[in-house]
Amino acid sequence: LSLRQDNCLRARHLLMRMALPAGLMAVLVLINFFTGIIFTIDGHGFYVQGPLFNLLYGYAIVCSIVGAVWSLFHIKHLSIRRFVVVWEFILICAVCVLIQAFHHEILTTGLGICLGLTTLYLFINDPSNRIDRLTGAWDKQSLNQWLQEQMNYERRLHLIAVELYQLKSINRLYGDRLGDRVLTEVAKRLRRAAGSYLFRLGSGRFFLIVTDLKEYNRLSQSLLEMFRNKITVGSETISCPAILCGIP
C-alpha cells in the first residue's frame, strides 16, 4: 500500500471503532424518552438522574480526549491552522459539557456543539485556507474545484505549466531560506503576468490559466522572456530556469 492508502485505511479503522460506541449512545438517547435510563424531568422542571446519567458526560469527555490525542499524534500532517481549529472545537465542546455536568439547569452542551460546528464551518469555507502560505498562489484543492466549475460551464481554457527544475539545486547551494525567497519572487512575477489564475501544485510547480487564446500567446512569450533573465534576491543574483508546457 502507498502511504496515502495506508493513512486512509487507518482513518477508516478509527472511524469504525468510534462508530460503535457512538451508535450505542445514540440508541440510549433515543430510548431515554421512554425509559428514563439517562434522566427524566419531574413536574417541577428539574433533572432526575437515571442509572446511566454520568455515562453521557463520561462519553463526551472520552471523545474530547480521543480527539485531542489524535491531533497530537498527527500534528506533523496538520497545518497550524487545522490543529488550532481541532483544539478550538474540542475545548468549546468540553467546556460547555463540563458546565452542564455541574449545573444541570444550564443547558450549554447543545450550545457548545453549535459553536464548535460553526467554527469548523467557517474554517472549511474560508478561502484563505486554500491559498499557499509561502507564495500566495491558490493550492491544488482550489485548482481541482475551479476546473470542475469551469467544465460544468463548458468554458474553453488555455493552460501553462511551469516547473522550476533547478529549485532543489538552489536550495542545496544557497540554503532553503534563500530558495523560499526565490520561489516567492517567481510567484510574484507569475501572478503579475497571469493575474489571479495562478496555482501552486508542488514545491516548484505552478499552473497558469487564461481564457483567451491571444492572452495565452502573449503570456507564453512573456514567460519565455522572464525565465531567460536572472533573479536578484537580496545580494544574490540567481539563474532560475524553468520548463514550460502549454495547452492552447
Side-chain angles (χ1 to χ4, degrees), residues 114-181:
C114 290
L115 289 176
L117 291 176
T118 300
T119 301
L120 292 178
Y121 175 82
L122 293 175
F123 170 75
I124 292 171
N125 291 278
D126 184 0
S128 65
N129 292 320
R130 299 181 180 181
I131 294 178
D132 178 61
R133 302 294 182 183
L134 178 62
T135 62
W138 296 101
D139 63 10
K140 185 176 181 180
Q141 182 181 358
S142 300
L143 174 63
N144 294 336
Q145 181 178 345
W146 190 82
L147 286 178
Q148 185 62 53
E149 292 174 356
Q150 302 308 305
M151 287 189 291
N152 291 339
Y153 290 109
E154 298 182 352
R155 290 174 178 164
R156 186 174 179 84
L157 302 174
H158 310 278
L159 318 176
I160 300 178
V162 178
E163 175 75 29
L164 306 179
Y165 64 94
Q166 291 290 350
L167 184 61
K168 290 184 178 179
S169 298
I170 293 173
N171 288 334
R172 285 196 298 267
L173 291 172
Y174 299 97
D176 290 341
R177 182 173 298 180
L178 188 63
D180 288 345
R181 293 179 64 185

Side-chain angles (χ1 to χ4, degrees), residues 15 17 56 66 71 73 117 137 152 154 168 208 211 218:
L15 288 175
R17 293 190 192 101
L56 192 67
V66 169
S71 67
F73 271 104
L117 291 176
N152 291 339
E154 298 182 352
K168 290 184 178 179
L208 299 90
T211 56
R218 183 204 64 79

Side-chain angles (χ1 to χ4, degrees), residues 198-210:
L198 173 65
F199 302 87
R200 185 186 180 195
L201 305 186
S203 60
R205 189 175 299 116
F206 293 91
F207 219 49
L208 299 90
I209 302 177
V210 293

